[in-house]
Amino acid sequence: MEAQFSQVMLQLEQASQIVMAPPNLVSNEQRHLAEQVFLDFKASRSPYPTCKFLLENSQLDYVLFQAASAIKDAVVREWSLLDGSDVRALRNYLLQYVTQKTDLQGYVREQVLQAVAVIFKRGTLESDETDHEQLMTDVTSLIGSGNLSMQSTACSILLALMNEYSTTSRASSIGLSWEFHLNAKRRFEGRDLKLVFQLCLQVLQELEKYTEEPSRDVVSLFNKFLSITEQVLSWRFMAYNLPGRFVLVIENSQSCALMPGPAWRDVLLDAGLVDFFFRIHEKVRSVGEMAHHSLQCLAQLASLRGSIFRTDEDRVDYLNTYLQSYLKLMSRSDLAEHELLGVATIINRLALFFPVAFFCQSSSRCGGVFKSSADEAHV
């Protein structure tokens, strides 16, 4: 059997060299035939043992990428034929593979983890809670490991999950109806999204503790988690009583409000959350890309509305807390040019989503100074 696997690997590696060769070295016909080799391989039945052999033995990144892609396609295609234990074993193998192969090229690792995310999503409405909890437990353990490589892997897993579930229109094609993607998004939103946010907060709390200049790899890691945090806060939350045909309209709308349900009160209405994000921005404001993400997070928090608030008094309290932290930022005399658009967006969101009467009910100093800040930003 190993000899057969080796023969397949040789064939795919030869095809890979042709596909990746410069146009002046191979003909269009050669390239087409090489591409067909990969298409035939990905269409083969139950390619899992062969794919594992390729992942373990091939030295060519493109072959590794195609092996992961073949697993993803085959699981979706053969889902009804696979036993639950086989699916779990395959998912666990892929997770173990990326945690052990720390030198994988980024695009290879992302493809392996996309396969994990697709397997996870395909079983969203079928798998029991134990299967579901295991993946999130693994991610939590990776983040808590303190190992930069493991935390980076956890970040990639979360990003793959977010990309799969965030919209019903841009998810991977897994041969199922739009209603499946809709229900899967609802399940992920109600069961996992808040945990993703809390895991990101856990990492960002470590960022706040840094007293020395972090390394480039550490900055890259924090930037990725900040980006995922922005994605969570930009999530288009679904109304559970809304007819399915209107969901796509909401997802594609320009509405930017953050509208989670009551289940998010303990996190988003925590007294220190808003100030924490302003402190994070203070920490990263000199790094352009990270500053963009932190300001986008603050802009989304400025648009918080909906059933998460029990009463108007809760909204006034939240606004007052937000304004106090916002005014600390505006009191700086050294706002950078790359911060100005984000600051103006915050002002716009506050004015758009909180009635004028709420500013009057806020502390007189906050309301008055905010008006002055808004006027200055407008000028």
Side-chain angles (χ1 to χ4, degrees), residues 67 108 170 182 188 206:
V108 175
R170 292 201 298 267
L182 172 67
F188 180 81
E206 295 299 316

Side-chain angles (χ1 to χ4, degrees), residues 316 320 323-324 327 358-369:
V316 172
N320 190 55
L323 289 176
Q324 289 175 358
L327 292 175
F358 287 6
F359 290 93
C360 298
Q361 295 176 49
S362 181
S363 70
S364 57
R365 178 181 178 277
C366 284
V369 177

